[in-house]
Amino acid sequence: MLTTTLNNIRAHSPCTEGWTNLLAGLNKTQADDEPLPYAHILEINGLADTLWCMRAEPQHRRVWAEFALWCAEQVKRLTRDGRSLHALEVTRRYLDGYATLVELRAACDAAAAYAAADAAAAAAAAAADAAYAAAAYADVDADAHEKQAAKLLELVTQEAPANV
């Protein structure tokens, strides 16, 4: 199970509303170093705040990238641009150890050139860079938000995989 701490979250200057809500949900008044499962953050503050809190634990970047890729794959049907689809494929290969960082950057750079004009391409380009950006596409269909929350919960309650 992936965890962070309130001190780690606090070090990244969370918004007042989200911070206050998290402390209240945990029955705490200040930050501490007690392990805090991301599943609890998701339950208390919801998806957007949980995604924001990911910055507190960059050593789990593989999990965050897996989530971002999953989000982007949910909207890939909205693009026909080969560069964006290729970026998704290269991201998967990179996470599985079959593509280099140079290949990943090249594919994402090519997709990003197209992304300014295509929202689905933007999701594909974001997949390699930040899970938080991919969450912006939650309104693609009515239950996307719930699907994203369920997928994130699945990822954060498993053992952390080796990082890439």
Side-chain angles (χ1 to χ4, degrees):
M1 178 174 296
L2 299 184
T3 65
T4 187
T5 68
L6 289 172
N7 277 327
N8 287 354
I9 294 169
R10 186 71 177 150
H12 290 85
S13 303
C15 69
T16 302
E17 181 181 345
W19 180 249
T20 302
N21 189 59
L22 184 59
L23 287 177
L26 294 168
N27 294 316
K28 296 188 177 193
T29 59
Q30 61 186 12
D32 59 31
D33 286 319
E34 183 178 324
L36 172 59
Y38 276 92
H40 287 12
I41 300 169
L42 184 61
E43 180 182 330
I44 295 166
N45 277 37
L47 182 62
D49 280 358
T50 305
L51 294 174
W52 185 92
C53 287
M54 289 176 176
R55 68 190 67 215
E57 302 299 334
Q59 74 274 19
H60 298 308
R61 67 188 177 276
R62 179 180 171 87
V63 176
W64 310 149
E66 286 283 351
F67 178 70
L69 179 61
W70 180 87
C71 289
E73 287 173 337
Q74 302 310 297
V75 297
K76 75 179 184 179
R77 70 186 182 284
L78 300 177
T79 188
R80 303 271 189 271
D81 180 67
R83 294 165 288 198
S84 299
L85 298 173
H86 180 67
L88 289 176
E89 293 169 15
V90 174
T91 300
R92 169 53 53 213
R93 289 196 341 258
Y94 177 76
L95 290 174
D96 291 343
Y98 297 109
T100 67
L101 184 57
V102 171
E103 292 170 312
L104 176 64
R105 284 285 170 218
C108 289
D109 287 348
Y114 181 73
D118 184 295
D129 295 325
Y132 191 76
Y137 300 93
D139 60 354
V140 169
D141 58 51
D143 63 347
H145 185 81
E146 289 179 23
K147 288 179 185 176
Q148 286 182 340
K151 182 62 176 182
L152 183 59
L153 182 62
E154 174 189 321
L155 290 171
V156 300
T157 55
Q158 296 176 0
E159 284 297 313
N163 279 316
V164 290

